């Protein structure tokens, strides 16, 4: 079956930093080396690299990605210092010629995106034209900063208008409580576009990430790279069925359709277990399917500050990786129902 390609757009400082870790994770999972060549051990795999990569004439794998920012610092660092930084197509990198950024101001990011609309969408159109069966777009951004929020909002509007039949999925990083007065305004203005233009939004809550690092990983002062590593882990897991096909959820519409019964209920919360970071090299102990499913329901493993114990779920999807007996999955689901460990809407 022909893979349904996805084009990834990393916008702003946060979007590009998270995106860099995401592509590093994908390369490791698919056996792609720093120079884009497939490692010998990965030649026999039945994975679908083509969903996120395309192969150049010299057999190098190139990410279907655009790196977009209004100031050069982050993208330059990715290109020069990150292990996989040289994989990206230089024609798919946009840095505003003035390089002054958006100053944390949503209207500034939005306005500069309007001014550079043709340059950005020439890159997007070229990448889309190079796809055999494009399914949609993935936007990685923050809703707080000026570029991720303002420029991200304008790109969302134009994508929905230009590609009305393609899905738009976002990984949107929400800020923790702080004293920066413009962040709430940026978030509200961006939320309006996420509500009307996106088909699915993975909500990534900085407050929940910091809590997870502190309580689960016992790291008191995590660096940005460690936080971004957690986000990229969630992104990798949530796209794993697209890249390593099984019986279900082999494309994006099949993945999100059961989770979104009506169009406006497309804000998704994510959970993950077990978490590790580069500081922690210990092996994960053997566990059971039921134990994993129970831990995924634990609010401490959920990446949003949501009281799931006193609320109810509309729908839920667990992606379990590894050699798993389907009978064990069915038994675990029945146990969760019998013990009422998760409450669902009565009409679901």
């Amino acid at each position: 079956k022909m893979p349904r390609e996805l084009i990834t757009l990393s916008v702003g400082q946060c979007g590009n930093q998270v995106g860099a870790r995401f592509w590093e994770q994908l390369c490791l999972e698919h056996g792609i080396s720093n120079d884009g060549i497939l490692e010998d051990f990965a030649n026999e795999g039945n994975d679908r690299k083509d969903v996120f990569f395309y192969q150049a004439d010299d057999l190098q794998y190139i990410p279907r990605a655009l790196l977009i920012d209004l100031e050069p610092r982050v993208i330059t660092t990715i290109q020069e210092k990150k292990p996989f930084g040289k994989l990206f197509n230089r024609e798919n990198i946009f840095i505003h010629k003035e390089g002054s950024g958006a100053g944390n101001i949503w209207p500034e990011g939005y306005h500069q995106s309007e001014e550079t609309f043709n340059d950005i969408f020439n890159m997007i159109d070229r990448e889309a034209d190079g796809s055999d069966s494009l399914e949609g777009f993935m936007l990685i951004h923050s809703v707080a900063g000026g570029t991720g929020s303002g420029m991200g909002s304008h790109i969302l509007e134009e994508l929905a208008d230009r590609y009305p039949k393609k899905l738009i999925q976002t990984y949107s990083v929400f800020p923790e409580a702080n004293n920066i007065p413009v962040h709430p305004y940026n978030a509200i203005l961006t939320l309006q576009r996420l509500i009307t233009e996106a088909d699915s939004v993975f909500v990534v809550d900085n407050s929940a990430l910091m809590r997870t690092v502190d309580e689960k990983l016992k790291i008191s002062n995590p660096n940005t790279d460690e936080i971004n590593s957690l986000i990229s882990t969630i992104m990798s897991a949530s796209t794993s069925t697209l890249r390593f096909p099984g019986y279900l959820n082999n494309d994006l519409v099949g993945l999100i359709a059961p989770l979104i019964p009506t169009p406006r209920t497309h804000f998704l919360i994510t959970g993950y277990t077990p978490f590790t970071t580069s500081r922690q090299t210990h092996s994960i102990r053997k566990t059971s399917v039921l134990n994993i499913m129970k831990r995924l329901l634990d609010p401490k493993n959920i990446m949003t500050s949501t009281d799931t114990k006193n609320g109810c779920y509309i729908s839920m999807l667990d992606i379990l990786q590894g050699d798993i007996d389907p009978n064990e999955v069915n038994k675990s689901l029945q146990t969760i129902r019998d013990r009422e460990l998760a409450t669902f809407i009565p009409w679901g």
Side-chain angles (χ1 to χ4, degrees):
K1 185 179 176 180
M2 180 179 292
R4 303 292 306 279
E5 300 98 343
L6 294 171
I7 295 173
T8 302
L9 311 174
S10 299
V11 181
Q13 175 180 328
C14 173
N16 280 290
Q17 288 176 333
V18 172
R21 286 308 303 256
F22 173 62
W23 286 107
E24 188 174 338
Q25 182 76 19
L26 291 197
C27 287
L28 291 173
E29 291 185 13
H30 289 286
I32 296 172
S33 66
N34 289 3
D35 55 4
I37 303 301
L38 202 61
E39 303 279 10
D40 292 339
F41 68 84
N43 283 320
E44 301 302 321
N46 62 347
D47 53 336
R48 289 178 175 169
K49 302 176 186 66
D50 290 349
V51 173
F52 283 96
F53 296 87
Y54 64 88
Q55 209 167 5
D57 293 336
D58 61 358
L59 302 182
Q60 182 183 18
Y61 279 92
I62 309 293
R64 299 183 188 275
L66 279 78
L67 280 60
I68 302 168
D69 207 348
L70 294 176
E71 54 100 9
R73 180 173 54 86
V74 173
I75 292 180
T76 302
T77 301
I78 291 169
Q79 288 181 290
E80 295 179 354
K81 297 183 179 179
K82 292 293 181 181
F84 298 94
K86 299 189 185 305
L87 283 186
F88 299 102
N89 182 355
R90 292 186 175 275
E91 294 182 349
N92 285 358
I93 293 175
F94 175 84
I95 300 172
H96 198 283
K97 59 184 179 182
E98 293 181 5
S100 56
N104 255 354
I105 302 172
W106 186 95
E108 183 64 26
Y110 191 94
H111 175 64
Q112 291 197 45
S113 183
E114 286 181 312
E115 287 185 333
T116 56
F117 164 80
N118 287 332
D119 292 335
I120 294 171
F121 272 83
N122 282 342
M123 295 192 298
I124 294 174
D125 291 343
R126 184 181 65 247
E127 199 66 29
D129 291 342
S131 304
D132 293 322
S133 182
L134 179 67
E135 184 170 26
F137 302 90
M138 275 176 42
L139 173 68
I140 311 170
H141 70 131
S142 165
V143 304
T147 304
S149 65
M151 192 172 217
S153 293
H154 182 254
I155 290 174
L156 269 176
E157 290 175 348
E158 295 297 340
L159 279 177
D161 181 61
R162 205 175 184 97
Y163 296 94
K165 295 184 178 180
K166 305 301 179 185
L167 293 174
I168 301 175
Q169 176 167 292
T170 78
Y171 290 87
S172 302
V173 181
F174 286 73
E176 56 188 325
N178 56 50
N179 295 321
I180 302 175
V182 295
H183 277 184
Y185 296 97
N186 293 344
I188 291 294
L189 289 165
T190 310
L191 267 172
Q192 177 60 41
R193 277 74 185 177
L194 291 173
I195 290 169
T196 57
E197 312 299 349
D199 295 292
S200 68
V201 177
F202 281 80
V203 178
V204 182
D205 177 5
N206 253 341
S207 300
L209 289 174
M210 296 301 290
R211 185 197 66 224
T212 298
V213 171
D214 183 36
E215 296 180 3
K216 288 288 184 180
L217 302 178
K218 309 301 181 187
I219 299 174
S220 56
N221 295 304
N223 57 44
T224 303
D225 209 42
E226 286 172 326
I227 296 293
N228 292 340
S229 177
L230 296 187
I231 303 174
S232 68
T233 299
I234 295 165
M235 293 176 63
S236 168
S238 64
T239 59
S240 61
T241 61
L242 311 179
R243 299 179 288 111
F244 300 95
Y247 294 109
L248 297 170
N249 308 320
N250 291 333
D251 54 18
L252 188 57
V253 67
L255 183 68
I256 65 175
L259 294 172
I260 304 173
T262 59
R264 290 296 173 89
T265 59
H266 63 254
F267 287 81
L268 311 176
I269 65 174
T270 57
Y272 188 86
T273 188
F275 277 115
T276 59
T277 71
S278 56
R279 296 192 201 184
Q280 300 169 322
T281 57
H282 63 269
S283 59
I284 304 301
R285 291 177 295 179
K286 182 176 175 61
T287 186
S288 66
V289 171
L290 177 60
N291 185 256
I292 291 172
M293 286 183 160
K294 287 169 64 178
R295 282 193 283 174
L296 286 172
L297 294 169
D298 184 349
K300 292 181 180 178
N301 289 321
I302 291 175
M303 295 298 96
T304 54
S305 302
T306 306
D307 185 7
T308 55
K309 292 293 185 184
N310 295 318
C312 60
Y313 290 93
I314 295 176
S315 57
M316 187 185 300
L317 170 66
D318 285 355
I319 299 175
L320 308 178
Q321 295 178 308
D323 187 12
I324 296 170
D325 183 356
N327 292 325
E328 193 177 349
V329 175
N330 292 330
K331 288 179 183 177
S332 300
L333 286 171
Q334 190 59 50
T335 301
I336 288 172
R337 287 195 194 99
D338 294 342
R339 296 182 187 176
E340 297 182 349
L341 298 177
T343 305
F344 286 87
I345 50 174
W347 49 267

